[in-house]
Amino acid sequence: MKRPIDRARAETFARAWMSAWNDRDIDRILAHYADGVVFHSPRIALMMGSHAASVSGKAALRDYWTKALERSPELFFELENVLTSSDAITLLYTNHREELVAETFLFDDDGEVRESVAAYS
């Protein structure tokens, strides 16, 4: 049975996730994700030079985000809000391009992200 996501758990996740990204620490970033994670983002096609809308698996996600970090040395996220659901968290944040981003994380029974969807303003 999944543990409900309360406000405290959501905020703890948000702080740790933001810190890992802003420190550019790929291992800490990926520690939040299940091995079989699926990540959806319109940025994947741009970064990978393909028509892909998603990346599946932690190894593929590592490759994608490693390239993204290399190409964006100015990357920084500023948390705007944390929204909770029964089995998901949505983080609203502003990125280094001053875009508003809504990223939703769905969790597995072990508390790891099993699926994530990023949407940009």
Side-chain angles (χ1 to χ4, degrees):
M1 177 182 220
K2 290 184 182 180
R3 195 173 89 204
I5 299 174
D6 61 19
R7 186 75 187 172
R9 181 174 169 212
E11 288 179 356
T12 297
F13 174 87
R15 281 191 304 273
W17 188 86
M18 286 284 171
S19 174
W21 271 105
N22 289 336
D23 290 345
R24 307 174 62 80
D25 186 330
I26 193 72
D27 291 323
R28 280 181 36 225
I29 295 166
L30 288 168
H32 295 96
Y33 296 85
D35 288 337
V37 64
V38 178
F39 175 66
H40 307 266
S41 171
R43 298 269 189 248
I44 295 167
L46 296 170
M47 187 66 54
M48 303 305 278
S50 69
H51 296 290
S54 64
V55 172
S56 296
K58 198 184 271 192
L61 195 55
R62 175 184 290 277
D63 290 342
Y64 166 62
W65 281 339
T66 298
K67 287 178 185 173
L69 286 168
E70 288 170 358
R71 292 183 187 172
S72 298
E74 70 285 356
L75 184 137
F76 188 83
F77 299 155
E78 181 72 35
L79 185 63
E80 303 293 336
N81 206 343
V82 178
L83 309 174
T84 61
S85 177
S86 58
D87 64 346
I89 294 170
T90 299
L91 302 184
L92 299 176
Y93 59 92
T94 304
N95 67 18
H96 57 291
R97 290 183 288 273
E98 297 185 19
E99 297 170 308
L100 182 62
V101 183
E103 191 157 347
T104 300
F105 305 87
L106 287 94
F107 295 86
D108 65 15
D109 291 340
D110 295 325
E112 294 181 320
V113 176
R114 65 175 169 82
E115 191 164 7
S116 178
V117 179
Y120 299 81
S121 62

